[in-house]
Amino acid sequence: MTEDEFWTCVKDRRPPDRSPAPTAPANALPLGLVLTLKRELGLSEGELQTITKDDAVARLNEHWAQG
């Protein structure tokens, strides 16, 4: 928002136009899964950007099954 837009909203007593909140991409991994992959498997940011959710869960399950 620019300064002019701000003062126009104040003068006209109207809220500013707001964009809708951005949505996560359909293939985004949940944060908890990402943190677990980093902590348990030591995956890098590059690996996390390319892994699918199904592959990530499978790798964690395999890791935990091996103890």
Side-chain angles (χ1 to χ4, degrees):
M1 165 178 276
T2 67
E3 185 175 349
D4 289 337
E5 291 170 328
F6 171 80
W7 288 114
T8 299
C9 290
V10 171
K11 181 181 69 117
D12 296 343
R13 295 180 181 206
R14 65 168 178 81
D17 293 330
R18 298 183 192 268
S19 310
T23 57
N27 60 345
L29 299 176
L31 178 60
L33 180 57
V34 169
L35 296 175
T36 304
L37 290 166
K38 284 178 151 182
R39 183 182 62 245
E40 297 285 331
L41 301 179
L43 294 187
S44 69
E45 291 294 327
E47 291 171 306
L48 290 168
Q49 291 176 0
T50 60
I51 195 168
T52 66
K53 183 178 179 182
D54 290 340
D55 288 341
V57 171
R59 286 184 64 178
L60 279 174
N61 285 335
E62 182 180 331
H63 171 74
W64 288 328
Q66 292 175 357

